Amino acid sequence: MRVLVINSGSSSLKYQVRDTDTNEVAASGLIDRIGEGAGGPADHGEAMDLVAAALEGELVQKPLDAVGHRVVHGGERFSEPVRINNEITRAIERLNPLAPLHNPANVLGIRAITAKWPDMPQVAVFDTAFHRTLPEHAWRYAVPDSLYRQYGIRRYGFHGTSHEFVTGRAAELMGVPLTDFNAVVAHLGNGVSLTAIQGGASVDTSMGFTPLEGLVMGTRSGDIDPSILIFLQRQGMSADEIDTLLNRESGLKGLFGDNDMRAIVDAAAAGNSKARVALDIASYRLAKYIGGYHVAVGGAHALVFTAGIGENSADFRALVASRLGALGVKLDGEANLVRSGGPRVVSAPDSAIPVLVVPTDEEQAIAEATAAVVQRSA
Ligand code: ADP
């Protein structure tokens, strides 16, 4: 099947055409500066016109069978990918307050496709869906129940499409049936999240009500004492200022000044103390969470690294593993240095828990999920 995968942001739209039979990427691109003037597209409708124009030659050869949308927030309703119709679009729109930057853009992307190609099957694939199996003790915050009932304040988790894809590949690599597979999966990109996998399902994850909770990220703080927000507000900072501070100016960027892992590792090697401290904080926090999730799943069969840093930074993997000695984790120095696009084992044969690197591919996962939903509903 030929699937156009759309990832709409508030001012950008990333797309890929995937062939789900051959797994070939037939076309891909990015339209940015939507609605920012300066000659860019005025809205998501115009952006879709640009995508269609860019794909013209491609689509003449072979038309599209379906469109798959990455939708950030599926709330409590969506636990799997769904075929889109007007009711589903409105349901995604009703979740706007929970993801004010992302869901409105996803809805604009869906409506732009509906306007352009009214008969095209469309499927929504949710970033939160894989975490709908979290038990209540993992998703509830210890705050009055009314906050949950009134505002839906609970942990939702994100990066679900990536965690699900990587979990499946890792179980395959280990030769363990998915329903018997326990693991700790670390998605380390600009956003960072850790997921506890028990019997192939997500039973805990480090991102919460929003992607801000949990680990040290490129520009996000992860866990901090919530009183810091109250303190800053009393110092006169507005909600928007605190939002920007914790989501865009913190994490590795806040600690070192740059969120590119290569730059941080190079600077640390050259003796830069801020870079050293940033790496120590990020790896220490991650190691603590990994220990916690190893307990949560009742003993992991594997520790899995994925995404930009997880797949490419042998230095960061080694730093994290060096803090996991108490779990008997041991990397194989040479295997850890191998650069490859395939899933691989990077631990030593006598490591108590095998350590894997499994490249993620969210577009492939979305294309496959879209094809499966369309075939089922055909
Ligand atoms: P996003 O969350 O934006 O999709 P990615 O998964 O692409 O992020 O990961 C981005 C991170 O991966 C950056 O911190 C970048 O420095 C890091 N990264 C990418 N390639 C390498 C590499 N070869 N070595 C170390 N870090 C890398």
Side-chain angles (χ1 to χ4, degrees):
M1 219 179 236
R2 299 252 293 176
V3 180
L4 171 62
V5 177
I6 299 274
N7 185 349
S8 302
S10 51
S11 66
S12 69
L13 190 158
K14 277 191 270 184
Y15 66 92
Q16 266 193 18
V17 177
R18 300 287 292 230
D19 186 316
T20 56
D21 302 317
T22 62
N23 199 23
E24 172 209 7
V25 182
S28 66
L30 165 74
I31 310 284
D32 58 3
R33 294 196 222 154
I34 302 172
E36 290 180 357
D43 54 29
H44 283 72
E46 269 189 40
M48 267 317 302
D49 289 339
L50 294 175
V51 174
L55 294 179
E56 203 178 290
E58 189 60 44
L59 297 187
V60 169
Q61 284 178 9
K62 258 189 178 178
L64 293 173
D65 298 300
V67 175
H69 294 268
R70 169 174 185 251
V71 177
V72 167
H73 218 302
E76 291 198 315
R77 169 164 171 183
F78 296 106
S79 55
E80 52 184 39
V82 288
R83 179 86 179 246
I84 294 172
N85 56 31
N86 285 337
E87 191 272 321
I88 297 287
T89 310
R90 282 195 298 274
I92 295 170
E93 201 167 29
R94 279 196 298 277
L95 294 166
N96 283 356
L98 293 178
L101 292 181
H102 292 101
N103 272 39
N106 299 148
V107 169
L108 288 171
I110 291 167
R111 295 224 163 102
I113 299 273
T114 310
K116 193 154 193 62
W117 299 314
D119 298 326
M120 179 70 72
Q122 297 189 68
V123 172
V125 181
F126 301 92
D127 235 26
T128 49
F130 184 56
H131 303 302
R132 289 292 292 118
T133 47
L134 253 61
E136 186 166 359
H137 60 252
W139 63 251
R140 258 199 200 265
Y141 292 114
V143 294
D145 195 41
S146 57
L147 295 186
Y148 167 56
R149 280 184 281 110
Q150 212 175 331
Y151 302 112
I153 292 180
R154 52 159 285 175
R155 317 185 64 254
Y156 292 97
F158 298 88
H159 286 153
T161 307
S162 174
H163 283 293
E164 183 172 16
F165 180 85
V166 166
T167 299
R169 291 295 187 283
E172 256 171 48
L173 185 65
M174 300 278 300
V176 177
L178 185 60
T179 47
D180 294 337
F181 188 52
N182 294 351
V184 178
V185 179
H187 177 112
L188 313 178
N190 248 320
V192 170
S193 68
L194 195 70
T195 292
I197 303 289
Q198 194 171 45
S202 171
V203 293
D204 205 349
T205 192
S206 62
M207 285 178 167
F209 179 62
T210 73
L212 182 55
E213 190 177 349
L215 297 154
V216 177
M217 313 191 202
T219 63
R220 296 191 190 113
S221 62
D223 299 336
I224 58 170
D225 181 341
S227 296
I228 296 169
L229 281 68
I230 302 164
F231 174 86
L232 291 174
Q233 206 159 19
R234 288 186 177 141
Q235 298 302 306
M237 281 184 83
S238 69
D240 283 346
E241 284 167 345
I242 296 174
D243 187 340
T244 303
L245 179 78
L246 298 179
N247 276 296
R248 296 179 192 276
E249 293 167 357
S250 297
L252 297 173
K253 187 173 177 200
L255 291 167
F256 171 64
D258 186 340
N259 55 331
D260 190 316
M261 183 50 79
R262 283 160 291 200
I264 301 171
V265 167
D266 290 350
N272 181 305
S273 62
K274 280 190 177 177
R276 188 74 251 158
V277 170
L279 286 177
D280 282 343
I281 296 173
S283 59
Y284 172 69
R285 292 256 297 266
L286 181 55
K288 275 202 300 187
Y289 260 80
I290 291 170
Y293 283 8
H294 180 58
V295 172
V297 303
H301 303 134
L303 166 62
V304 190
F305 286 101
T306 193
I309 297 168
E311 292 167 30
N312 298 304
S313 185
D315 293 292
F316 193 70
R317 286 195 301 262
L319 197 54
V320 175
S322 72
R323 297 183 183 278
L324 295 172
L327 298 183
V329 168
K330 250 191 255 169
L331 289 192
D332 178 302
E334 263 176 50
N336 188 41
L337 288 177
V338 170
R339 298 190 62 87
S340 137
R344 56 201 186 270
V345 178
V346 296
S347 48
D350 61 341
S351 181
I353 307 171
V355 181
L356 317 181
V357 173
V358 177
T360 190
D361 189 337
E362 287 175 279
E363 279 75 17
Q364 183 186 345
I366 293 169
E368 284 174 3
T370 300
V373 169
V374 171
Q375 272 153 1
R376 218 184 308 139
S377 60

